[in-house]
């Protein structure tokens, strides 16, 4: 049985299961619990050019069927990652996908250049970030700005380039095409959804940042629709992200058109879920006499 999946020229995962950015840090904590080599790939915490402190606490809270986070992209910075974390990730037989972001086009390009090194299998651009020079509008909200950004990053790296889309747009297909035409090799759909929680006793917001990003099972049906829409319009592979907790969810996202999936919030609740989900997928394929996951990808039966 072949559960490998191809995301870009030079990027083939042995299975379609990746960690998601920000819920797996740089892999060290999870490596104490299981062998990271079982994963198709590890996606790192989002990196910036300089270390970033992030938002005031509380930064996370539970909601019905999900969680909110307002970490504020805290990270150790790209240089410390390369020096201190990348060598450790290189000891595993898995693909290392480095998530990153910048404050402007040049910074994104500079980051991509810095990450064009051995040990990095691919880079994943988080475009749900404010463009400081353009009054703070997110890069991922305007197709022209996104297209230019991706094109500049494309010229700065030889690595497979994955663009992680923001779900907060009217026409997600338009954004997907803008990224594809800019030179993206694959698209991750999608990032978290802006949301908030309020304490009725204190009359205060629960998060220090007031608002945060919603993730977990609450967003799964929306993520499924986004993956379906994007994979029908874009010609490049789609990686699903949003609310995945089981092999059943994985099969659903593959049917909707995803070539791989990232598991985020659920791995905070059950760090060992990755192996269980891979085994479940293998059993499902065996029970249904499927020899390759390409027999599932995009095979949704629509009326
Ligand atoms: C605590 C936390 C931190 C996150 N940090 C990042 C990040 O640094 N970069 C990024 O692109 N996405 C980040 N995300 C979004 C996740 O990678 C993922 O796209 C999202 O949570 C949806 O998947 P899930 O429902 O499986 O968690 C973060 C999510 C959480 C919950």
């Amino acid at each position: 049985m072949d559960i490998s999946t191809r995301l870009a020229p030079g990027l083939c995962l042995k299975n379609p299961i990746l960690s998601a950015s920000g819920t797996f840090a740089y892999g060290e904590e999870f490596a104490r619990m299981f062998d990271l080599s079982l994963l198709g790939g590890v996606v790192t915490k989002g990196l910036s050019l300089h270390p970033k402190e992030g938002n005031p606490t509380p930064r996370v809270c539970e909601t019905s069927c999900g969680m909110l986070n307002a970490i504020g992209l805290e990270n150790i910075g790209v240089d410390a990652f390369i020096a201190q974390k990348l060598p450790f990730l290189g000891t595993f037989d898995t693909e290392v996908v480095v998530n990153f972001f910048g404050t402007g086009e040049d910074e994104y390009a500079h980051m991509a250049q810095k990450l064009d090194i051995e040990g990095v299998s691919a880079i994943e651009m988080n475009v749900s970030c404010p463009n400081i020079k353009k009054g703070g509008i997110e890069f991922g909200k305007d197709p022209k700005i996104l297209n230019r950004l991706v094109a500049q990053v494309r010229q700065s790296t030889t690595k497979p380039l994955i663009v992680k889309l923001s779900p907060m747009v009217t026409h997600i297909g338009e954004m997907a095409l803008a990224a594809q035409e800019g030179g993206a090799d694959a698209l991750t759909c999608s990032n978290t959804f802006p949301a908030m929680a309020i304490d009725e006793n204190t009359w205060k917001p629960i998060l220090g940042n007031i608002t945060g990003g919603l993730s977990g099972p609450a967003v799964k049906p929306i993520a499924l629709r986004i993956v379906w829409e994007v994979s029908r319009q874009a010609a490049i592979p789609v990686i699903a992200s949003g609310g995945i907790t089981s092999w059943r969810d994985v099969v659903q996202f593959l049917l909707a058109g995803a070539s791989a999936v990232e598991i985020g919030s659920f791995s905070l609740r059950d760090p060992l879920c990755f192996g269980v989900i891979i085994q479940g997928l293998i059993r499902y394929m065996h029970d249904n006499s499927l020899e390759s996951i390409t027999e599932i990808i995009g095979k949704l039966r629509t009326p």
Side-chain angles (χ1 to χ4, degrees):
M1 184 186 297
D2 181 11
I3 59 166
S4 70
T5 188
R6 193 174 166 279
L7 294 181
L11 183 63
C12 187
L13 310 186
K14 62 181 161 193
N15 68 59
I17 311 296
L18 300 114
S19 66
S21 178
T23 48
F24 208 77
Y26 312 104
E28 290 152 324
E29 296 79 3
F30 282 82
R32 285 186 221 128
M33 293 179 270
F34 70 91
D35 181 0
L36 303 191
S37 300
L38 80 79
L39 294 170
V42 165
V43 184
T44 69
K45 175 66 188 165
L47 297 170
S48 47
L49 192 53
H50 304 292
K52 203 166 180 302
E53 273 194 2
N55 287 329
T57 57
R59 291 167 159 195
V60 289
C61 75
E62 264 193 73
T63 61
S64 347
C65 297
M67 65 176 283
L68 294 183
N69 92 83
I71 307 293
L73 295 170
E74 178 181 345
N75 74 94
I76 60 172
V78 65
D79 292 331
F81 169 79
I82 292 170
Q84 297 162 23
K85 309 293 182 184
L86 189 58
F88 175 71
L89 287 171
T91 62
F92 298 96
D93 177 22
T94 190
E95 304 302 331
V96 176
V97 179
V98 180
N99 183 291
F100 73 104
F101 62 96
T103 55
E105 287 176 9
D106 293 345
E107 198 172 298
Y108 269 96
H110 188 39
M111 292 282 298
Q113 247 166 21
K114 275 182 173 278
L115 290 165
D116 200 2
I117 52 174
E118 205 186 315
V120 174
S121 312
I123 54 175
E124 181 182 63
M125 284 169 70
N126 176 2
V127 296
S128 306
C129 303
N131 184 344
I132 305 295
K133 287 186 192 132
K134 293 269 156 59
I137 184 185
E138 279 179 25
F139 291 97
K141 283 194 171 154
D142 179 316
K144 283 202 190 86
I145 292 176
L146 181 65
N147 176 270
R148 245 193 21 215
L149 175 68
V150 175
Q152 193 168 338
V153 171
R154 174 74 285 168
Q155 283 174 7
S156 313
T157 182
T158 60
K159 299 287 175 188
L161 175 59
I162 304 167
V163 177
K164 184 169 181 179
L165 296 177
S166 162
M168 297 309 293
V169 295
T170 311
H171 300 294
I172 190 87
E174 205 183 339
M175 305 308 298
L177 290 178
Q180 176 182 300
E181 279 154 24
D185 291 301
L187 301 164
T188 302
C189 301
S190 67
N191 219 312
T192 55
F193 297 75
M196 73 187 289
I198 294 175
D199 184 329
E200 70 282 6
N201 293 313
T202 60
W203 296 25
K204 287 182 180 168
I206 291 175
L207 295 175
N209 188 55
I210 304 178
T211 61
L214 179 65
S215 60
V219 306
K220 194 199 102 181
I222 314 178
L224 208 46
R225 187 269 302 166
I226 289 174
V227 165
W228 179 67
E229 263 183 45
V230 166
S231 60
R232 284 200 317 164
Q233 291 193 40
I236 51 181
V238 172
I239 304 166
S241 167
I244 296 162
T245 65
S246 67
W247 61 265
R248 285 187 187 82
D249 292 338
V250 175
V251 173
Q252 291 164 22
F253 274 104
L254 295 177
L255 286 169
S259 295
V261 304
E262 295 179 2
I263 300 172
S265 308
F266 189 62
S267 64
L268 299 176
R269 171 168 290 190
D270 179 4
L272 301 181
C273 68
F274 299 99
V276 177
I277 288 174
I278 293 166
Q279 284 314 311
L281 177 64
I282 291 171
R283 206 175 42 244
Y284 172 84
M285 288 179 59
H286 180 263
D287 291 349
N288 289 279
S289 308
L290 295 163
E291 272 163 25
S292 157
I293 61 163
T294 56
E295 292 171 54
I296 312 175
I297 296 171
K299 297 297 192 295
L300 183 71
R301 294 175 187 152
T302 45

